[in-house]
Amino acid sequence: MAEYTILFGVALLLDIIITFRASRLWTRYSHYFPFCCSYPVTHNVPIEVVPEGEENENEENENDDEKQFLVMEEREAKTDKNNDEQSNARYSLLLRNYLIVYLLARFSDWLQGAYVYALYDAYDYPQHLIAVLCVAGFGSSMVFGSFVGGMADRGGRRRFVVIFSMIYAASCLTKHFRNFHVLMLGRLLGGIATSLLFSVFEAWLIRAHANAKVMDKLSSSFSTTGFGNSVIAILAGLVSNKAASHGKLRPWDASLDTKEGMFFVDGYLNPFDIALLALICCGICATFLWEENYGESGGKENAENSPKWYDGLKRAYKTTIRNRDILLCGLVSSLFEGSMYIFVFMWTPAMQNLAKKEEGLGEDDSVELPYGLIFSTFMVCCMTGSSLFSIVAERMKGEALAVVVFAVSSVAMSLVIVSSNSNVTFIAMNIFEICVGMYFPVMGTMKGMIVPEDQRAAIYNLYRIPLNFIVVSSLLAHLTATQGFVAVTIMLVTATFLQLALARRRLNVSSLADMSHLQSLAMNTAKIKL
């Protein structure tokens, strides 16, 4: 069996080192690590010989010029410093307010994830009905999510974050009922809420950066958000595990038998109750901490010209089909995130199968694995990826970095397929998780630059249609672990080539823009000289 404790320690140590390198502390203590620092190269400058008669006159002129230059430089430095301080203050306030709301939403989502299947199983539902409930959630996200994004662009993103909190809270309440139809309603509501969670929050953040005039800090915001999400995931895992073990699932009416009760409490329901409280706090914080923002045309329609509910989806579809960059970006994100979901479904049976082979057990035998430790290791690696993005993004364009992330992910998943050693397989899985941690800030930054503001939430939800189709298809196909990882590898290789095509288009456009800018500067300089 794999050395999970040792590998967790190695992952944690690597995360500490990379996080320190990406933090502000590095600038303060980097002089203690000279082998990691780069110093500017000094060049020998030829000394100009000045005739003796002109030396005094030149010195006086140079002194006057130098004084004027120093005065102007001091004024500019003060102005720049004031502007930087104001910009940093706006950015810090924006990021703080966003993280409070977003991390509460993610905390509620992570709390529920581990216990949905366990709760349905405790209600004595057969496997095929549990599968129907799971597919219904993703199907709901695929159908309803396709147009709620457009409604959020027009109706206000903060308003729809509050609506998200209400819908997801209602979904949590349905879990208390041992009734298939009520649970199905909860899954449908959960699918709608998930669509809003993965579109409206990000759309609000990008628009808020534009309004605050701090778009240059968008990559840093996505990196911080990804890191915080990983920390929250670990915390939610610990809290939900403790809460679920507190008490046993039982009917509200203690006189009723477990199979007779309709409304249940305690046990696996405790994480959902904590999620409910987190969602209430999320909605309240969004109301008081966030300013409302819209798509470019949002909030301006009058009653006569008010668009229909499906207009946002229609416009988003046309925009995506007509713009190749938007289309490629959507295909890439759907393929990678689809592979991520399949990985979540398949890593447990894959590790179980390897453990059984190494211990000489049969297929029908059971094997115990430290699932909590494995999940924590994955989340630590996600944090490492988020921090690593902050370092690499300073040296590499996002489009090119995404190609590397997808290529490394493809290699890692290929290694999972061919490996018969649990340690090698687990290391490969953690390399993939590091890539996942890098993916979200990379893709968030790219989508922020590619997707038009007036249709952002609508197009983000449009991206989730093929994603949910991939997930539903994989659930209905009943793939084995090996088949699942083969599908994941194929999707990642395809995403790599599509991202390569997108990077070539985007970087060529950037180069042309730089060339035209340089040409205009040259022409202006020539005019001044004339």
Side-chain angles (χ1 to χ4, degrees), residues 22 40 50 357 418 526:
V50 182
K357 287 180 181 179
V418 301

Side-chain angles (χ1 to χ4, degrees), residues 105-183:
R106 293 295 290 164
F107 182 63
S108 68
D109 189 54
W110 284 115
L111 282 168
Q112 301 174 59
Y115 291 96
V116 172
Y117 180 91
L119 179 64
Y120 296 155
D121 187 57
Y123 281 154
D124 293 327
Y125 284 111
Q127 291 292 328
H128 72 277
L129 287 182
I130 295 176
V132 169
L133 288 170
C134 292
V135 169
F138 289 105
S140 169
S141 180
M142 181 170 63
V143 175
F144 294 105
S146 60
F147 58 82
V148 294
M151 296 169 64
D153 286 331
R154 295 191 306 273
R157 290 152 180 171
R158 182 186 67 178
R159 181 178 294 132
F160 271 76
V161 166
V162 177
I163 292 173
F164 152 82
S165 302
M166 296 167 62
I167 291 175
Y168 218 2
S171 176
C172 291
L173 285 174
T174 62
K175 298 296 188 293
H176 284 272
F177 294 87
R178 189 177 175 272
N179 181 285
F180 184 80
H181 299 292
V182 177
L183 292 174

Side-chain angles (χ1 to χ4, degrees), residues 91 95 209 216-225 389-390 445:
Y91 173 69
L95 186 61
H209 275 68
D216 58 315
K217 300 181 184 296
L218 185 61
S219 296
S220 176
S221 296
F222 280 119
S223 178
T224 304
T225 300
F389 167 79
S390 299
T445 304

Side-chain angles (χ1 to χ4, degrees), residues 162-339:
V162 177
I163 292 173
F164 152 82
S165 302
M166 296 167 62
I167 291 175
Y168 218 2
S171 176
C172 291
L173 285 174
T174 62
K175 298 296 188 293
H176 284 272
F177 294 87
R178 189 177 175 272
N179 181 285
F180 184 80
H181 299 292
V182 177
L183 292 174
M184 176 62 74
L185 174 62
R187 289 297 295 171
L188 296 176
L189 293 174
I192 299 171
T194 302
S195 293
L196 292 172
L197 175 61
F198 289 102
S199 60
V200 177
F201 285 81
E202 192 171 312
W204 184 93
L205 177 65
I206 295 171
R207 180 67 179 185
H209 275 68
N211 291 342
K213 299 179 181 179
V214 289
M215 283 296 289
D216 58 315
K217 300 181 184 296
L218 185 61
S219 296
S220 176
S221 296
F222 280 119
S223 178
T224 304
T225 300
F227 186 88
N229 183 38
S230 300
V231 174
I232 283 294
I234 296 172
L235 178 63
L238 296 173
V239 171
S240 62
N241 184 62
K242 185 70 175 177
S245 61
H246 183 72
K248 188 177 180 181
L249 185 69
R250 60 180 178 83
W252 174 265
D253 187 350
S255 62
L256 295 175
D257 185 68
T258 304
K259 295 184 179 180
E260 296 176 350
M262 282 291 293
F263 189 85
F264 283 72
V265 293
D266 288 341
Y268 292 142
L269 287 166
N270 290 333
F272 294 94
D273 292 336
I274 299 173
L276 175 64
L277 295 175
L279 288 164
I280 293 172
C281 295
C282 174
I284 293 172
C285 290
T287 302
F288 291 101
L289 296 179
W290 285 15
E291 294 180 355
E292 188 62 276
N293 70 38
Y294 305 84
E296 294 293 345
S297 59
K300 297 179 182 178
E301 298 92 350
N302 55 38
E304 296 178 358
N305 299 324
S306 179
K308 297 177 182 178
W309 61 269
Y310 56 81
D311 282 349
L313 173 63
K314 187 176 178 181
R315 289 177 60 226
Y317 174 76
K318 288 182 178 179
T319 302
T320 303
I321 293 299
R322 291 172 181 172
N323 189 309
R324 192 174 179 185
D325 286 2
I326 297 175
L327 178 61
L328 285 172
C329 185
L331 291 173
V332 166
S333 64
S334 295
L335 286 169
F336 188 88
E337 293 178 29
S339 69

